[in-house]
Amino acid sequence: MHLLEEDQGRCVKADIISTVEFNPTGELLATGDKGGRVVVFQREQESKNQPHRRGEYNVYSTFQSHEPEFDYLKSLEIEEKINKIRWLPQQNAAYFLLSTNDKTVKLWKISERDKRPEGYNLKDEDGRIRDPSTITALRVPVLQPMDLMVEATPRRVFSNAHTYHINSISVSNDYETYMSTDDLRINLWNLEITNQSFNIVDIKPANMEELTEVITAAEFHPNQCNTFIYSSSKGSIRLCDMRASALCDNHCKFFEEPEDPSNRSFFSEIISSISDVKFSHSGRYLMTRDYLTVKVWDLNMESKPLETYQVHDYLRSKLCSLYENDCIFDKFECVWNGSDSVIMTGSYNNFFRMFDRNTKRDVTLEASRENSKPRAILKPRKVCVGGKRRKDEISVDSLDFSKKILHTAWHPSENIIAVAATNNLYIFQDKVN
């Protein structure tokens, strides 16, 4: 695997990457960070004299998407941290993406300019208005070539629709609407209309003391614009159909695995909370990530998951200390590869896990500075629990819980993955030739 690294030296909180997303073709890769910035990387085109260069991602555009704000009505600071980025399919030469912090979603246009108009009649080259009495001849404006400039401009700002923090956004496959989700509500927006949205799910009880669960993530079906899913902190997933009713408080399907009573503990409820949910590209399966496992569900079978993969089962005995240091509330994401045959999710100690659904083989890999030379091959890592430790194994007691892989992305069609480790972005790809 190859590696490209974006390094800012010592880690500042604002530099911590909070979301990673490939665009639908995989030519661009966007990251958002806690400082409200979006960095877009573009893939190198293959050149005749350097065929191996293809696949390297270089910075294409960097812009400040969100600023810190203050809600005067509630006396609350609104962080600028980017919670999610979602790309829209490319319709013309420009690219469009949605980015959101806790309260406001913005639609950004990223476009290239390599020409500038010159020879205006009413103003001079510096833009100053000319005195009309000095204008004696009519000029024909011309387009002059200039250095390539990549511009990011906010085209729409969707605000004031969420009382609680937005945790996810998802674009419908009609590419006209998208939804934004907070702890208790899901809103449906038209991409052209910023001053109104439709509330399609509302689980807020009349009396907040009766609140038993919150929404943790939501996503549209990849090829049915009327269907979406949302997951909850109680470990359940609800599939809703917007054709059934305007307010989707009643679900069509309900996916939940009954808990094994022998495993019940003080932490059961916390670790069963779903931190991420993703439809497969085919739309046939769902994947959910809770604290210890990744599960794959068949949309046609609500009773139990089709497959369950243990991400870091060796942490089961460590839940007490993970609760004390708040790590038990970490929200890990999960992703499918382009053909839905392999799934990937993160863990601690900068480890990330891959599970092959066909061969049932799994591997633990590490994203770290030590093995980050370009074209380095990643060695599988193993964690040992108790007993004797082999030379290449790492003991569960020496795992670093401050280093965690929460955000990952997989190229839509190739074996290229992006892994965010704190303030570093690693890009790995399958060894070619």
Side-chain angles (χ1 to χ4, degrees), residues 236-284:
S236 58
I237 307 105
R238 291 170 175 84
L239 179 103
C240 302
D241 187 340
M242 290 190 283
R243 294 171 304 188
S245 71
L247 193 61
C248 301
D249 287 352
N250 296 327
H251 50 265
C252 304
K253 290 188 176 182
F254 182 80
F255 303 87
E256 186 176 47
E257 186 167 34
E259 197 197 357
D260 178 2
S262 63
N263 271 346
R264 178 133 193 91
S265 75
F266 169 75
F267 305 108
S268 295
E269 214 154 283
I270 304 172
I271 63 172
S272 66
S273 174
I274 293 173
S275 55
D276 195 18
V277 58
K278 293 266 170 56
F279 273 108
S280 63
H281 294 79
S282 67
R284 170 76 192 265

Side-chain angles (χ1 to χ4, degrees), residues 255-257 285-286 288 295-299 302 304-305:
F255 303 87
E256 186 176 47
E257 186 167 34
Y285 304 103
L286 308 169
T288 59
K295 296 181 175 133
V296 174
W297 302 77
D298 187 321
L299 278 193
E302 295 166 66
K304 61 175 197 288

Side-chain angles (χ1 to χ4, degrees), residues 137-315:
L138 202 59
R139 292 197 282 189
V140 178
V142 288
L143 285 173
Q144 295 287 9
M146 60 178 242
D147 287 343
L148 180 68
M149 219 168 87
V150 181
E151 290 180 313
T153 42
R155 297 309 299 267
R156 306 263 185 284
V157 177
F158 307 88
S159 53
N160 303 330
H162 285 276
T163 313
Y164 306 95
H165 291 349
I166 298 174
N167 55 44
S168 53
I169 47 177
S170 178
V171 182
S172 161
N173 80 325
D174 61 12
Y175 307 131
E176 288 175 13
T177 54
Y178 77 91
M179 63 183 178
S180 55
T181 307
D182 67 27
D183 296 343
L184 300 180
R185 297 192 178 105
I186 301 177
N187 291 333
L188 183 70
W189 300 84
N190 186 303
L191 282 160
E192 297 296 322
I193 301 166
T194 58
N195 59 357
Q196 68 172 31
S197 62
F198 294 98
N199 178 229
I200 51 173
V201 171
D202 186 348
I203 65 164
K204 184 180 178 180
N207 177 5
M208 278 298 266
E209 285 173 8
E210 291 165 10
L211 183 69
T212 56
E213 62 181 333
V214 294
I215 302 171
T216 54
E219 191 180 57
F220 268 116
H221 191 284
N223 35 34
Q224 294 168 10
C225 59
N226 52 284
T227 310
F228 66 94
I229 43 168
Y230 68 91
S231 58
S232 90
S233 56
K234 273 194 156 173
S236 58
I237 307 105
R238 291 170 175 84
L239 179 103
C240 302
D241 187 340
M242 290 190 283
R243 294 171 304 188
S245 71
L247 193 61
C248 301
D249 287 352
N250 296 327
H251 50 265
C252 304
K253 290 188 176 182
F254 182 80
F255 303 87
E256 186 176 47
E257 186 167 34
E259 197 197 357
D260 178 2
S262 63
N263 271 346
R264 178 133 193 91
S265 75
F266 169 75
F267 305 108
S268 295
E269 214 154 283
I270 304 172
I271 63 172
S272 66
S273 174
I274 293 173
S275 55
D276 195 18
V277 58
K278 293 266 170 56
F279 273 108
S280 63
H281 294 79
S282 67
R284 170 76 192 265
Y285 304 103
L286 308 169
M287 166 167 56
T288 59
R289 170 74 210 256
D290 56 39
Y291 192 63
L292 294 175
T293 66
V294 175
K295 296 181 175 133
V296 174
W297 302 77
D298 187 321
L299 278 193
N300 302 327
M301 183 168 81
E302 295 166 66
S303 54
K304 61 175 197 288
L306 210 55
E307 301 150 25
T308 300
Y309 300 97
Q310 299 296 336
V311 178
H312 36 215
D313 204 44
Y314 46 78
L315 295 183

Side-chain angles (χ1 to χ4, degrees), residues 348-361:
Y348 293 103
N349 210 65
N350 280 355
F351 288 170
F352 57 99
R353 305 269 282 133
M354 287 187 178
F355 303 95
D356 188 311
R357 297 179 57 215
N358 300 326
T359 64
K360 298 295 179 237
R361 297 222 311 265

